[in-house]
């Protein structure tokens, strides 16, 4: 894998990310998203899930950049490891869902949009509170409630679920 071509050195980019510079966010996304998506794509199959995980990774990098330790690895390697970890977590979660649900009902969650699935998963399958989910997903608790209501409505209106 070839390292991203960027006009900023790693040190300058790190300083810009630590200062939450908007241009640094653009550089992060424009120069690294493709590589992070490549790592995620090696692990996950579903295109929507890959895009969702990429968004989570970019946001996680942005908000946890202060946890990066330059003595342990290069910034690029740290980001790649984060993308790999998030993709593996998503894969493990999807496997857990398949194991918990009857095979005939396992597909019902496919009726949810990615944001609805994430909120539903966090609250109903992982047992998190609305506030915890809001923090985890960088949303306001009212927005989490709104998405959850929409998810439940979509599940209730899904004819495949209603027939079972």
């Amino acid at each position: 894998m070839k390292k991203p071509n960027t006009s900023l050195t790693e040190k300058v980019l790190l300083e810009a990310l630590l200062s939450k510079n908007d241009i640094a966010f653009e550089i992060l996304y424009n120069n690294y998203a493709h590589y992070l998506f490549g790592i995620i794509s090696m692990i996950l199959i579903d295109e929507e899930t890959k895009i969702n995980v990429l968004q989570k990774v970019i946001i996680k990098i942005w908000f946890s950049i202060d946890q990066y330790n330059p003595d342990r690895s290069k910034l690029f390697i740290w980001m790649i490891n984060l993308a790999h970890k998030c993709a593996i977590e998503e894969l493990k979660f999807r496997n857990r869902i398949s194991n918990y649900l009857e095979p005939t009902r396992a597909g019902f969650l496919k009726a949810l949009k990615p944001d609805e699935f994430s909120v539903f998963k966090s609250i109903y399958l992982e047992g998190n509170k609305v506030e915890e989910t809001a923090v985890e997903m960088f949303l306001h608790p009212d927005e989490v409630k709104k998405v959850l209501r929409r998810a439940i409505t979509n599940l209730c209106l899904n004819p495949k679920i209603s027939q079972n």
Side-chain angles (χ1 to χ4, degrees):
M1 180 183 317
K2 193 172 107 179
K3 192 172 178 182
N5 184 11
T6 177
S7 59
L8 291 179
T9 65
E10 191 171 279
K11 184 177 179 182
V12 173
L13 177 59
L14 178 59
E15 289 171 7
L17 288 170
L18 285 167
S19 68
K20 301 298 183 208
N21 184 317
D22 291 341
I23 295 171
F25 186 85
E26 281 184 50
I27 292 170
L28 170 66
Y29 188 84
N30 292 336
N31 289 319
Y32 293 89
H34 174 75
Y35 298 97
L36 300 173
F37 190 77
I39 294 297
I40 293 164
S41 295
M42 290 179 192
I43 298 165
L44 300 171
I45 297 169
D46 180 60
E47 202 67 26
E48 274 187 68
T49 304
K50 291 181 210 177
I51 293 168
N52 250 2
V53 171
L54 175 63
Q55 290 174 352
K56 285 180 189 176
V57 169
I58 295 289
I59 290 170
K60 197 166 196 163
I61 290 168
W62 182 254
F63 284 104
S64 62
I65 191 67
D66 57 329
Q67 295 174 7
Y68 165 68
N69 182 351
D71 296 331
R72 293 187 69 199
S73 69
K74 296 277 187 192
L75 181 60
F76 181 62
I77 300 300
W78 180 75
M79 289 189 283
I80 292 291
N81 287 336
L82 198 57
H84 182 265
K85 180 182 173 191
C86 288
I88 293 293
E89 285 173 1
E90 184 67 26
L91 184 63
K92 285 179 181 177
F93 169 74
R94 293 203 177 263
N95 287 339
R96 274 195 310 254
I97 287 177
S98 298
N99 292 337
Y100 286 133
L101 301 171
E102 301 171 29
T104 57
R105 291 195 175 251
F108 84 95
L109 291 176
K110 292 178 184 172
L112 298 178
K113 294 179 182 171
D115 62 331
E116 295 170 349
F117 177 80
S118 296
V119 169
F120 185 87
K121 168 184 90 168
S122 179
I123 293 174
Y124 285 105
L125 299 174
E126 294 174 356
N128 293 326
K129 296 179 180 177
V130 169
E131 294 76 18
E132 294 168 331
T133 301
V135 169
E136 178 183 305
M137 297 183 176
F138 307 106
L139 297 171
H140 190 276
D142 290 340
E143 182 66 22
V144 170
K145 291 175 188 177
K146 181 178 158 186
V147 172
L148 184 59
R149 276 192 295 272
R150 196 173 67 225
I152 292 170
T153 301
N154 287 343
L155 289 173
C156 290
L157 295 176
N158 188 333
K160 290 180 183 177
I161 298 167
S162 303
Q163 293 171 355
N164 288 338

